Amino acid sequence: MTSAIPKPHNWAGNVVFRASGLSRPSSAEELQRLVAASACVRALGTGHSFSPVADTTGLLISVAGLPPLIEPDTTAGTVTVAAGLRYSDIAPVLNNLGLALPNLASLPHLSVAGAVATGTHGSGNRNGSLATSVVGLELVTASGELITVRRAGRSMGGDFAGMVVALGTLGVVTAITLRTLPAFTVRQYVYEGIGFEAALGHLDEITGAGYSVSMFTGWQARAFTQTWVKLADAAASPPADSWLGGALAVDDLHPVPGMPAANCTPQRGSPGPWHERLPHFRPEFTPSAGAELQTEYLVNRPAAAGVLAALADISDQLAPVTQVSEVRTVAADELWLSPAYERDSVAFHFTWVPDLAAVSPVLAAVEAIMAPAAGRPHWGKIHAARPERVAALYPRLDDFGALARQLDPARKFGNEMVDSLLSA
């Protein structure tokens, strides 16, 4: 069913979609008919992107109404899930089967397809983005044909490496097959007050201290107000009470000062299943009301200390417009449009106040720091980089453009953001 929606918008409200309508098909067959009959189509996930990556002047299609498939294959070590499901929908089911995903994002509220398509990630020196778990895709192409593509062997290889993080521009994904692991237990600890100077000298030690590590700051002081360390070995000894000048927190905390810790996953070493500790936020709570803007850049690990030092030098500009910033690591991958393509990365994330006029000059200052470090902006966040600069950061962009022309010669799945990138 297609409905007219004069001003649909994303979760944060900063992007008003220009779509002529929104459709929520209940079957793959209905979706195929809609795509085949439409001149311009984009898929819409949970709306957590702050950029216009899902925007269109044509038809927006939500796949959240498709049958809620969760089909594990214990022999292959995979699970096939409906693309519109959220990670919070599939993770408990997997855990009950003794299975896990290698990593999760801060928010379990994200749709699987949306997170994968934009290269969204969690944290960890050895943990790739959520898209690196993908071993198969089912999607509806521009002609309305339903096709299935699979990863060949251990390497992403071939065109498959260009089809996973694809920004919704190759078709409407209906199902995704993910690699699974045996379920595991995680304990989470938080340190308060690790100074920037200590972090600059011990960045590898900090990010390697756990299965997943996130460092938070509001830039008001030259310190990370909180450093979250998630340990996957439940039998390991608890960490020391003090570390690099920081103190182990004695209460559960929220990374944004003043926000209730009850919204966050349990801390202070309380053991729990992977899906209840790897995200920062509980699925039953909304972490905020969307009253924010977000930016994120991923830089090559060797450049991270210099970027952090440069950001600290403009902390007087950052602090007034920042709710919180997070620094975390992402492992390199082979996916053509992944922000972590072929380089182990450090991600610098900014949650801004919801005031674009106030944020814009500060964002330009951040971009001036990120540009010489070849910082790749997250596809789902706002940034100040021009399309030609972003395009230059992706060595396989021409290959991706050729793949897009092959699958969608009339650019049915294009939009202003993606088309400007491919024409840069």
Side-chain angles (χ1 to χ4, degrees), residues 24 38 91 123 158 160 267 363 380 413:
R24 184 185 167 106
S38 300
S123 176
F160 189 77
Q267 301 152 35
L363 183 54
F413 298 112

Side-chain angles (χ1 to χ4, degrees), residues 57-153:
T57 55
L59 180 66
L60 275 176
I61 294 181
S62 168
V63 294
L66 296 180
L69 173 71
I70 303 177
E71 186 176 275
D73 183 336
T74 54
T75 302
T78 63
V79 62
T80 300
V81 302
L85 291 179
R86 301 169 188 244
Y87 282 94
S88 56
D89 297 323
I90 68 173
V93 176
L94 290 178
N95 188 68
N96 288 340
L97 294 170
L99 302 173
L101 299 175
N103 208 0
L104 292 171
S106 301
L107 293 174
H109 311 68
L110 306 178
S111 72
V112 177
V116 165
T118 55
T120 298
H121 57 87
S123 176
N125 288 356
R126 296 184 178 87
N127 297 326
S129 75
L130 304 185
T132 60
S133 294
V134 177
V135 296
L137 294 169
E138 180 184 272
L139 68 157
V140 175
T141 62
S143 65
E145 181 184 6
L146 183 66
I147 67 170
T148 299
V149 292
R150 293 281 179 179
R151 175 176 179 169

Side-chain angles (χ1 to χ4, degrees), residues 2-6 8 18-23 42 56-61:
T2 301
S3 59
I5 40 175
R18 299 169 295 169
S20 58
L22 171 67
S23 184
R42 293 291 288 179
T56 182
T57 55
L59 180 66
L60 275 176
I61 294 181

Side-chain angles (χ1 to χ4, degrees), residues 145-171:
E145 181 184 6
L146 183 66
I147 67 170
T148 299
V149 292
R150 293 281 179 179
R151 175 176 179 169
R154 295 182 62 85
S155 173
M156 285 287 184
D159 287 347
F160 189 77
M163 297 183 73
V164 183
V165 180
L167 312 182
T169 197
L170 302 181

